[in-house]
Structure formats: C-alpha cells, structure tokens
Amino acid sequence: STWGFFSIQYTKMPQSNSPQKILFSLSLVLFLFTGFVVSVGPSASSNVELWKAALLLATPVVVFVLYKLLQGPGQSNEKPKVVAKAEARDYTAEELLKFNGSDPNLPIFIAAKGKIYDVTRGASFYGAGGPYNVFAGHDASRALGLMSTDPKDVSPVWEDLSAAEKDTLDDWIQRFESKYDSVGNIVSKTPKNLKSS
C-alpha cells in the first residue's frame, strides 16, 4: 500500500530532524490532505480553488521526495576516511603484522613469495571481517596455494606444494600484480636507514 511504502522509506532515512525527514513529513501531510480533498471532490466542496491549490502544492513536493528516495542516499556531509599511503620499502615479517586490516588508518598488506602488495582497495575482502582477512599482514603463500583460509596454513613456505597448488599460488600473484600496487619485499632485518639512531 501507499502508506506502507511511505512508512518503510521513512525508517530508511537519517536521524530525526534531518532536512530529508522534515521534507518527507511535510510532503506526507500534503499528500494526505490532497487525498482527502480529492476524495471529497470539487462537487462536494464550495471552494474549487482550494482543491486546485492543494493539488498544485502537493504534487511536485511528493514527486520530488519520491525521486530522491528512489535515487538512493545522496552525498554525505562526513569527510571520507583517509588511509595512510603505503610506504614503498621493504618490511620484516614482524613489521608486516600491523598491516592486517585491524587499524582502519593503516593500509592492508599481503605478501606472496616474499613480495608485498597493498590490497587496501580490496578491504571488503582482506580487511577486518572480510573472507580473506586471514591473509592480511602475512606472507600467505602456502594458504594461497592451498586455497585455504585456515590460519595454520598461513605460511611463507610454498616450495613443497604440488604443481597444481603452485599454479594456484601463481594465479593469486597475477591477480595481485594486476589489481594492486607492489610495496616492497619481506626482509629479515629492518633496513639500516630506517633504524632509530
């Protein structure tokens, strides 16, 4: 029903007293008033001009609000969250751990065969709560080759995988290469120029 549609759309709006809700409420009142006047009809009303004015006033407002509702949410006043740009350099395995998607202010890194990729653009997959978040912050070569999301399989050791599993790992790497930026490589020690004096 029309009333049910209005009720559902009202609950989807932002917090109370927002301009959208105020406009919506006004249009709903005008819509109901217009419906009442129309149901009475000009023949039963001594004021035909009131009936015409109600239609002229309510129709464009209702049409505009319905258009905005069906169009979906507009631009938010909130500034988009800025994620720190990945520093292109080599990282140790220990340093890599903090780029696991748990901190929304940091980029998300995944390594494969020792090469590190910034997969922040794929945060819905690799970020916190994503289906492949277990790979984030690690060299996940073995798990990638095995197509496993079991944490015990997240390991840089891939040399003993079967030929088919190695092919799967290479497919993942090709995907990373085509979609994401390479940051650097995993090293055993932090580069000297980054060590605190």
Side-chain angles (χ1 to χ4, degrees):
S1 66
T2 302
W3 178 252
F5 173 79
F6 273 106
S7 299
I8 292 172
Q9 296 302 327
Y10 188 85
T11 60
K12 291 181 179 179
M13 289 186 177
Q15 298 297 320
S16 59
N17 299 326
S18 68
Q20 189 180 15
K21 275 195 171 181
I22 293 173
L23 180 60
F24 181 88
S25 300
L26 175 61
S27 68
L28 181 57
V29 170
L30 290 172
F31 180 81
L32 294 175
F33 176 70
T34 303
F36 170 75
V37 174
V38 171
S39 65
V40 172
S43 60
S45 172
S46 59
N47 195 342
V48 177
E49 294 303 319
L50 175 63
W51 177 74
K52 291 181 179 179
L55 282 177
L56 290 173
L57 183 61
T59 300
V61 176
V62 172
V63 170
F64 172 75
V65 172
L66 288 178
Y67 168 75
K68 296 300 288 184
L69 290 173
L70 295 174
Q71 187 183 40
Q75 293 294 327
S76 171
N77 291 328
E78 296 182 2
K79 294 182 179 179
K81 186 178 290 295
V82 177
V83 177
K85 184 174 177 60
E87 183 182 359
R89 67 174 178 87
D90 294 336
Y91 292 81
T92 66
E94 290 73 23
E95 290 174 321
L96 194 64
L97 290 173
K98 68 179 181 180
F99 300 99
N100 63 0
S102 60
D103 186 340
N105 297 311
L106 291 178
I108 304 170
F109 291 169
I110 290 178
K113 288 187 175 181
K115 191 171 183 178
I116 304 169
Y117 300 91
D118 180 355
V119 298
T120 307
R121 290 198 300 271
S124 58
F125 295 101
Y126 306 109
Y132 302 126
N133 176 244
V134 68
F135 303 150
H138 302 279
D139 184 326
S141 298
R142 189 173 192 83
L144 293 170
L146 294 173
M147 288 292 290
S148 170
T149 55
D150 188 331
K152 70 179 179 60
D153 291 326
V154 177
S155 164
V157 179
W158 59 271
E159 290 83 0
D160 62 334
L161 295 175
S162 69
E165 290 164 347
K166 289 178 180 177
D167 287 342
T168 300
L169 172 56
D170 289 339
D171 288 342
W172 275 100
I173 293 174
Q174 288 180 10
R175 185 180 308 172
F176 293 151
E177 290 281 355
S178 64
K179 295 183 66 175
Y180 306 114
D181 296 328
S182 173
V183 176
N185 298 292
I186 294 181
V187 293
S188 59
K189 295 181 180 180
T190 302
K192 291 183 179 180
N193 61 323
L194 294 174
K195 291 182 178 180
S196 57
S197 56

